[in-house]
Each structure stands twice: as C-alpha cells, then as structure tokens.
Amino acid sequence: MAAQSDQNPATEVVGDGGSVGRTAAARLRRVAPWLVLGFLLVGVVVVGFFGRSGQDGVALSPVNPAPAGAMALAEVLENRGVEVIQAESLEAAAESAALGSSTLLIHDPDAWLSADQLGTLAGIADRLVLIEPNQLMLGELAPGIRQAGLIPDSEEDPLVAACQVEDAIAAGSISAGGFAYRADLICFPPATAQGGPPSGSYAATANQEVVALGNGSIISNETIDLEGNAALALRTLGSTPVVVWYQPTAADLAVGDAPVDPLNLLPDWVNPVMLWLLGSALLAVLWRGRRLGPLVQEPLPVVVRAAETAEGRARLYQDSASIDRAASNLRAATLIRLATRLRLPATGSVTEVVHAAARHTNRSVAALDALLRTTKPTSDAQLVRWSQDLDALEKEIDTR
Amino acid sequence: MTITGRFVLVAFLGTLPVALYPGAVSILIWSGALVAAAGLDLALAASPRKTGLSRELPDSVRLTEACTSALRVRNYSRRRLRADVREAWQPSAGAVDPVHHVSVPTGEARQILVKLFPERRGHLRVEHVTIRSFGPLGLAARQVSVPAPGLLRVLPPFHSKRHLPSKLRRLRELDGRAAVQIRGAGTEFDSLRDYVRGDDVRSIDWRATARRRDTVVRTWRPERDRRVVIVLDTSRTSAARINDEPRLDTSMEAALLLAVLAQRGGDRVDFLAFDRRPRARVDSAAKGNLLNSLVKAMAPLEAELIEADWSRVPAQIRSISSHRSLVVLLTSLDSGAVEEGLLPVLAGLTSQHVVVVASVSDPRLDEMRGERQSAADVYRAAAAERALLDRAAVTAQFRQLGAEVVDAAPQELPPQLADMYIRLKAAGRL
C-alpha cells in the first residue's frame, strides 16, 4: 500500500518550554544530594585533619590523651607554670633547649638518632631527662650511666627509693618495670637484685644534670597516678621553667642514610604536564560522554517459542526416566500414521495394522508384531534403537 | 551545554606551553583562555530553544517497506543555527541516519530527511528531537531535547497477497460452475442458459423451455452477501513464536487474505480481535477500503499475556451478526488452553454458524519427531509425538462438534484457509 501523506499540516514545536536558568536549576537540584554528600565528606576529612587539636598516637607524647600517652603529666606541668614545648625535630629541640633554663626530655625507643646527632644535644640544656635510654644514647649524653639489664617481671611490688636523692625520697616508691641502670646516684633498686654492683630504675649523674628513667610508663597517663610516680615525674621535670619534650621520628634520620628519590631527578615540567594531560583526558571523557539526547525506550515483545512446552515435556520424560510413556507415545503416533498410510480405519486394531504392514513390506508378521506391539524398551539404549526401527519401518512403507 | 572535540584538541595543545613554561601561571592562563573561549562560543551560539520543529510523516507504512520522516527545522533566533539534530526514534523504527548536521540562516528553514526501515509491526514512536547548537568557534554547544512526538503506523506486511490472484480465479470459476454440479439448498438464481450435456436435469427450467425451442437450464451462482466474521485471538497463546514469527502475525496474514477474498466474493466481512475484551473491530458496514481499515486496526495489536475468555465470544459474534455466518476463529490448538476455553462454547457456535478454526502448526515439532539419534533426541521425539497426538485429538473433537479445522504451517495457513473458504462456498454451506 502506498504511504499516504498526512492530511493535517504538521504543527510546529518551538523549544521545550524551559530556559537556561531553569535547566541549570534542574541540574543543580539533581546533583544537589551528591554535592551535599561531597561537602560532608570534605568537611569530615578537613575536621579530621585539622580538628585533632594536635593530638597524636605516639606513646609518652605530651599531646596524646590515650593511656599510653603522657598528656596528663604535660598538662599538670603547664598548670604549674612550666612551659612544655614539643619539639618536632632535632634542630627544634636543640634550639628550644638552648633558649634558656630548660629541661630536655628525650624518648627515643626506636633509636632513630645517630651518635653524631645525639652529640649535638649534649650539654645544651640545664637538665637532661632520658626515658629508657639505650647504650648509644648513654654513651653520648651520660657517660657516667650504664645499662644494667631489665627489671625482672617477677618484681611486682613497687620499688622503694632507698637513696639520698630528694626527688626520689619525696616520691617514696614507684611502679616496677623497664630497665635498670648503674650510675653515681641510683634509686629504686629492684628488690630481687642478687649481688653485683647496685642498679636502679632511677639513675643520675652526680650533679643530677642527667637523669635516666628506666621505666617510661611511670609518666604515662595510665600509671602516673600509682604510687609516687607523679611526684617523681613532676619533680624530675618541673625544676626548670621550660621542658623541651623531644621524641625523635623517622624524619630525624641522618640525611645521608635516606635513598635518593628518583622523582627528584625528573625535569620540572613533568608534573605540570602530567596534571594538564589528566585535565585534557577528563575533558575528552566529558566530550565523548555527553549523549545527544536521552535514551529512547523500546517496548520489547515477548519471545516464547511455541515448541518450548514440548521441549520441557521431553526434559521431564528424560529426568524421570519415563521410558514407558515415551515408548507408548512413539508407538501410538506410528500406529496412527501407519493406519492412515495403509488405508485402515482409525479405529482399527494393532493386529490389523501389523498384517497390513506385513503385506506391504517383506517383513514377517512375527517381526512386525514384535516391533509394533510387544517390544517394551527398558533402557535408554533400547528405546533409541527401537524408535529408530519404528522410523525405518515408516520410511519403508512411505517409499512403497 | 557540551564541549566539542575541537575544545578537547585545543586543551590538549595546551600541553606545549605548560611544558615550556612549567608552573601555575601557564596552566592558569591556558585554562582561563579555554574557559573564556568556550563561554564566548556559548554566548554566540543560536538558542536551540528558538528553533521551530515540524515533522511530516507518512500516515502508515507496510512492514518491510522503507519510508522517510521529514523534519523541518526553522531558525527563529537572531544568529545562524549550526546544529546537530537528532530524531530520537525508537530503535525498531530502524532510523538509518537519525543525526544530521544543519546550518540554518536566521528566519529560514531546512528539511532533514531521516530514512526509516521499520523492523516491527505496530505503532512506532519518536518522542523528542535533540538539537545541539554549536557556537561560531565550534568549541562548545548548547543542547536541548525538544518534545516533538510523532507516530508511525507500521502495518502488517500482507505477504499472503501473492496467493490472491490464484484464489480469486478459483472463486470466479466457481461463479459459473457451482450450480451445475451441486444442487445446494441455499444457492441463488443467476440466469438461464442453454442446456448442455452433463447438466443436472433437475435444473431444467421447464417454463422457460416451453417459451423457447431449446431446453433451458437455470444456473445458480454461489450465494452473495453472506457474512464472514473473522475472530482473531490475541491472548497469550498468540504470543508463541513459530519460525520466529508470532502466531498473531501469521494469523493476521491469514485473516487479511481471507477478508480480501471474501469481499471480492461478494460477502460482508467483519473483523474482531479478542482476548478478554475486544481489542480491535472492523465493521463490514463501515465505509472505505476494507483492506485499509483492516490493516490499520491490526497494526497496534499485540499479544496480551492473559488467557482468552471464550465464553464471551458468542455474545460478541451475535452483536456483529444475528444471521447465520461463517465464523473463522484464528487461534491455537494447544490442548490445555483450548479444552478449557474454546471447546465448551464451540457447540453453541456451530449450531448457529459455520465455524472454521484455523491454527498455525509448528514445523519444529515435525523436526523434533524425526530426530532419533540419541536418548535426548528420542525423548524429544516422544514429547513432540505427544503434542501432535494431543493436537490431533483436539482437532477430532472440533470436527465432531461440526467445526472445520485448518491446521497448517505458517507459510501454508493463509492459502489453506482461503481454500477452506472457497470449498465451503462451493458446497453452498455459507
């Protein structure tokens, strides 16, 4: 049929009734939840980054309120008019300590500092408090103090001062643990010490300018309120108006040890060009990603193959091994077709079909009777063979 | 808005200055220049909202035929419109070139021709037209999707038309011959002619013979102005695909051939598509070309995924024709659906009308029947035999109730149904 032209003059459509402002507003409304989510995320990150109020998670740090930190001691010192300066680096520590009358606290459990670096700290402060110092540190900063092994775990009772140092006498006793040292002045000796030169958890040079505290945990937030821990810590650190609290980090490693960063070898322009190429790639994504209008729906038709029910029934036969049923279907269909082919009435019996078929073919009545009437396949293999025989018989009669 | 490939290229060229003068300054200058150029381009682009769109579509097109959608783009803005225009036809409309580039001066109009090769029968739609209007620099573009709905009616292909000439010839032969051989009860007097040997002596008109010297016989022609009611089943069984064509579409082919043939044979044809309620109806009393109104009524029909309610069909047929008619039911012979639906009402129908049940059979079943290589094949063959036996049983039941059954493969159904009509007409059973 020839396509007929539409009778009505086509009506003209102008615009979609919107405007730039409205489109922008609609877009904004659509992305608003994501924007809000993004701002929230950025906000959380910013607050998390800056809002920690200088706290960190370092053990015995003056700004760590956790049990392992030492913020309690630092706060009490501050309240008593002692300025606590947390030194971020070796230079800062040396600078702060050199300013005036100060106590320099060094806590370096990971032994970041080299002997040379330690040497620069010697003698710059009025008092040096070493928390759990190692042999290297003692050798550079306090030649008179030596390590004397661990205070054994079996030491459960608090250690008693047992010396003439005022600070220690005021404290009375402190928690046991950590290291023991030998020096001119030693306090809090382990009760279980057996023989040998005397050692103690508190060791100091004769002029008390260098003090080694063998048990760092006595200044930690968790245990500072036990025994005389607080008294010892406050008296040891609070004797000068300034305490420089220095905990070396990986950044303090001697420069010569750091491997050369291969990125530093690249020319200056690589990073900006990379950034620019990234921006260009994003633009390319925008360019290719913008569709020319929304997607169009296609109402899809139902797809049902008509033979599906038969296929399903075949599966059922096979899964339930219904050989009898399958055989009777095949037999009935063959008989009906043969009856039609041999001009027999549809109501005829099987025997009539057998005889008529025998007349049409060279096969014996007995063989045909066995094939069409009596054979009952009992396995899949027999069923296949028998059904092929039926098919062959039908074809034989068809061709005659 | 959107950016173009040219914008991306210019941005990419910015790599050079950034490499030569590394640093924030070169990046900022180049980015600023890009943004400024894109902004200028956007400001100078013609507004896609000031574009008039009107479309001319053919009223209808037959499936397998191509057609053209003509979209006129008129520029009402004060700037020249350079734009990509896309007609968003649904995919089955088979738009070959939906995107066109146009350049329209102010106040003028251009026509875009989009070639369509519909792949499906039915109502195919286009909902909107997208205009992407580029600026003079070609760096950025404004984009708007304008709702401009259009509808293309894709009619059934009527492939079975090729059978029409041969069937019409047989029908014409019938005109002259039927009364000679058959003395049906309902035949109509046509004319008188001389007796020739072989004519039935009972058809000799003695009064006319007395007036003339020669023996004169009456001739009859097949009855005219009989009613043919074609009922197309659009229920779930019509969705099944046979040879990758839904049963519904094959049935339509058969219905179209029968309708055209019956109309040429002088009968009045009514068409009804039905599942639980009438989906389409073409009245024999309506004016205009029957074939046209039939294909238009059939075009939007889809198989509904519900069970047909055959108990309402007799009332529907009665409302179409109160006289004895030829009722052709185009449905399926699947045993389950038919036994519960059609079988109970068929007896009532056959008592009033001549009923023909036409159904598409599945050649796949015959294929399955013949394959007997493995156990799985044989079980499939057995299932196919069962389906065919059930079909044969339903057919036999229908015949017992006095209905005629035409059960044929998709290609064969239209001519066989036409043959059935001619046979009934020849037998004077209409």
Side-chain angles (χ1 to χ4, degrees):
Chain A
M1 183 188 325
Q4 299 167 347
S5 175
D6 207 343
Q7 295 298 313
N8 306 328
T11 46
E12 192 169 71
V13 186
V14 180
D16 60 350
S19 68
V20 176
R22 253 184 278 174
T23 308
R27 293 263 161 79
L28 200 64
R29 259 202 304 283
R30 206 168 53 191
V31 300
W34 297 105
L35 280 182
V36 169
L37 207 68
F39 278 127
L40 275 181
L41 201 69
V42 168
V44 166
V45 168
V46 165
V47 166
F49 195 77
F50 295 106
R52 278 184 306 175
S53 62
Q55 293 177 4
D56 60 22
V58 181
L60 301 190
S61 160
V63 289
N64 182 1
M71 195 168 167
L73 175 61
E75 287 284 307
V76 173
L77 286 171
E78 293 264 4
N79 290 346
R80 296 299 156 99
V82 179
E83 189 186 357
V84 177
I85 299 172
Q86 190 185 13
E88 298 289 342
S89 66
L90 184 67
E91 291 76 23
E95 204 175 310
S96 306
L99 277 179
S101 172
S102 62
T103 302
L104 176 60
L105 180 147
I106 304 177
H107 177 229
D108 186 13
D110 297 321
W112 292 117
L113 296 182
S114 66
D116 289 347
Q117 290 173 311
L118 284 169
T120 61
L121 294 173
I124 55 169
D126 293 337
R127 196 169 207 200
L128 198 55
V129 178
L130 307 174
I131 310 289
E132 299 180 359
N134 56 16
Q135 193 60 53
L136 181 70
M137 199 185 282
L138 289 174
E140 287 295 326
L141 298 175
I145 305 178
R146 296 172 305 284
Q147 277 190 320
L150 285 165
I151 303 238
D153 283 346
S154 57
E155 202 75 49
E156 288 174 355
D157 297 330
L159 306 177
V160 182
C163 68
Q164 297 307 310
V165 180
E166 277 179 35
D167 295 351
I169 294 166
S173 64
I174 61 167
S175 307
F179 299 91
Y181 296 93
R182 296 194 186 100
D184 297 340
L185 294 172
I186 49 173
C187 297
F188 308 107
T192 52
Q194 291 157 2
S199 63
S201 187
Y202 176 99
T205 51
N207 55 7
Q208 293 198 26
E209 278 187 357
V210 181
V211 176
L213 287 179
N215 187 2
S217 67
I218 64 168
I219 65 168
S220 74
N221 296 336
E222 189 177 19
T223 48
I224 194 159
D225 56 341
L226 301 179
E227 309 302 332
N229 293 353
L232 181 65
L234 287 171
R235 289 184 74 104
T236 308
L237 292 172
S239 59
T240 56
V242 175
V243 173
V244 179
W245 200 299
Y246 178 43
Q247 294 179 294
T249 59
D252 290 318
L253 271 179
V255 177
D257 300 348
V260 176
D261 187 359
L263 291 178
N264 290 342
L265 300 176
L266 292 174
D268 301 345
W269 52 267
V270 170
N271 280 338
V273 165
M274 284 294 177
L275 188 72
W276 187 259
L277 285 178
L278 183 72
S280 302
L282 282 178
L283 285 176
V285 166
L286 281 178
W287 164 48
R288 297 312 306 172
R290 182 83 162 103
R291 263 198 315 264
L292 194 53
L295 291 179
V296 186
Q297 286 184 0
E298 172 75 49
L300 287 175
V302 208
V303 178
V304 192
R305 286 170 53 238
E308 246 166 34
T309 46
E311 304 261 7
R313 188 181 280 166
R315 288 284 171 71
L316 286 179
Y317 285 166
Q318 193 167 13
D319 290 350
S320 60
S322 307
I323 300 176
D324 290 350
R325 194 167 286 269
S328 67
N329 284 348
L330 292 170
R331 193 193 314 272
T334 301
L335 283 174
I336 288 179
R337 271 195 297 272
L338 286 184
T340 321
R341 191 77 203 153
L342 299 168
R343 314 267 158 93
L344 293 173
T347 51
S349 69
V350 182
T351 334
E352 285 176 51
V353 177
V354 168
H355 284 202
R359 279 196 299 280
H360 257 76
T361 59
N362 296 328
R363 304 190 190 195
S364 70
V365 172
L368 284 174
D369 187 61
L371 178 63
L372 289 176
R373 202 162 62 88
T374 51
T375 307
K376 297 255 187 299
T378 52
S379 70
D380 281 358
Q382 285 178 18
L383 180 70
V384 172
R385 219 172 303 125
W386 176 73
S387 70
Q388 287 171 349
D389 289 347
L390 285 184
D391 207 31
L393 175 67
E394 277 186 56
K395 285 193 178 122
E396 192 179 334
I397 289 180
D398 277 354
T399 48
R400 276 182 186 244
Chain B
M1 67 155 280
T2 181
I3 54 173
T4 64
R6 194 180 290 176
F7 185 85
V8 176
L9 186 69
V10 174
F12 182 72
L13 288 178
T15 315
L16 203 64
V18 170
L20 290 179
Y21 307 98
V25 178
S26 60
I27 290 183
L28 285 178
I29 288 180
W30 201 266
S31 328
L34 275 176
V35 170
L40 182 73
D41 214 23
L42 278 181
L44 292 180
S47 169
R49 288 199 169 83
K50 288 181 183 157
T51 303
L53 297 170
S54 54
R55 188 188 286 109
E56 267 179 39
L57 271 177
D59 192 31
S60 58
V61 62
R62 184 144 352 110
L63 188 65
T64 70
E65 279 178 1
C67 69
T68 313
S69 160
L71 183 75
R72 187 173 297 123
V73 180
R74 188 176 287 281
N75 181 8
Y76 290 117
S77 74
R78 281 174 288 129
R79 303 201 180 86
R80 189 184 185 88
L81 175 75
R82 298 172 194 81
D84 278 347
V85 179
R86 168 188 174 225
E87 277 219 274
W89 279 98
Q90 70 180 72
S92 61
V96 182
D97 43 0
V99 180
H100 281 263
H101 187 84
V102 286
S103 178
V104 190
T106 306
E108 291 187 22
R110 293 284 183 273
Q111 200 172 40
I112 294 168
L113 299 176
V114 176
K115 277 199 200 67
L116 301 174
F117 290 100
E119 292 159 16
R120 261 211 342 236
R121 177 185 54 78
H123 285 176
L124 304 184
R125 289 167 206 283
V126 54
E127 295 298 347
H128 52 258
V129 172
T130 303
I131 305 169
R132 181 179 282 186
S133 165
F134 298 98
L137 301 175
L139 291 176
R142 299 173 65 180
Q143 179 173 322
V144 165
S145 287
V146 181
L151 175 80
L152 181 67
R153 264 190 216 94
V154 182
L155 308 177
F158 198 14
H159 291 307
S160 56
K161 191 166 53 178
R162 65 200 155 88
H163 297 293
L164 198 56
S166 68
K167 304 298 172 200
L168 279 175
R169 202 177 313 123
R170 280 192 56 196
L171 203 61
R172 272 197 296 274
E173 283 169 12
L174 209 63
D175 260 356
R177 230 175 52 191
V180 185
Q181 291 178 336
I182 303 146
R183 235 181 100 78
T187 48
E188 285 180 357
F189 173 73
D190 184 25
S191 61
L192 295 169
R193 65 167 169 77
D194 286 347
Y195 174 83
V196 291
R197 288 183 64 174
D199 281 348
D200 189 344
V201 288
R202 285 175 296 182
S203 60
I204 294 173
D205 187 337
W206 294 110
R207 202 177 298 182
T209 305
R211 276 202 294 275
R212 295 175 57 180
R213 294 273 173 82
D214 302 322
T215 321
V216 171
V217 291
R218 291 184 187 185
T219 61
W220 283 268
R221 61 172 190 193
E223 308 88 330
R224 303 182 75 88
D225 290 327
R226 300 291 145 154
R227 303 200 69 138
V228 177
V229 181
I230 302 173
V231 180
L232 179 64
D233 175 14
T234 58
S235 71
R236 63 177 182 86
T237 50
S238 66
R241 277 171 184 261
I242 296 170
N243 285 2
D244 204 33
E245 188 183 50
R247 198 172 258 150
L248 184 69
D249 287 29
T250 315
S251 301
M252 281 180 186
E253 290 285 314
L256 285 173
L257 181 66
L258 176 66
V260 174
L261 191 66
Q263 196 199 22
R264 299 282 180 87
D267 292 328
R268 296 167 58 189
V269 180
D270 286 276
F271 171 78
L272 172 71
F274 190 85
D275 40 69
R276 298 193 80 82
R277 61 187 180 80
R279 298 281 169 187
R281 170 94 190 265
V282 175
D283 210 11
S284 57
K287 282 190 182 144
N289 188 339
L290 172 75
L291 182 60
N292 251 341
S293 38
L294 265 181
V295 289
K296 270 188 191 164
M298 283 178 182
L301 287 180
E302 295 290 340
E304 307 286 334
L305 295 187
I306 49 177
E307 191 72 47
D309 185 0
W310 287 102
S311 64
R312 297 190 194 175
V313 169
Q316 292 285 339
I317 293 174
R318 211 174 305 124
S319 74
I320 293 170
S321 154
S322 50
H323 301 105
R324 184 178 172 81
S325 323
L326 172 66
V327 175
V328 180
L329 303 175
L330 285 157
T331 176
S332 76
L333 290 176
D334 296 343
S335 55
V338 163
E339 274 166 10
E340 286 160 21
L342 179 56
L343 213 52
V345 301
L346 198 62
L349 276 179
T350 48
S351 67
Q352 279 189 358
H353 306 283
V354 180
V355 179
V356 174
V357 180
S359 166
V360 191
S361 67
D362 191 355
R364 172 79 189 124
L365 286 181
D366 286 323
E367 281 170 29
M368 279 163 67
R369 193 168 66 73
E371 286 166 22
R372 299 187 178 184
Q373 297 304 317
S374 66
D377 282 348
V378 172
Y379 283 114
R380 252 207 303 272
E385 296 281 26
R386 172 46 49 199
L388 290 170
L389 286 171
D390 287 350
R391 237 178 141 79
V394 169
T395 309
Q397 272 178 306
F398 281 2
R399 292 216 166 103
Q400 250 172 7
L401 287 172
E404 298 291 340
V405 179
V406 180
D407 184 18
Q411 294 298 317
E412 289 303 305
L413 184 70
Q416 289 202 11
L417 185 61
D419 285 343
M420 173 62 77
Y421 165 77
I422 293 169
R423 208 153 51 237
L424 289 173
K425 206 165 172 68
R429 283 184 58 195
L430 285 194

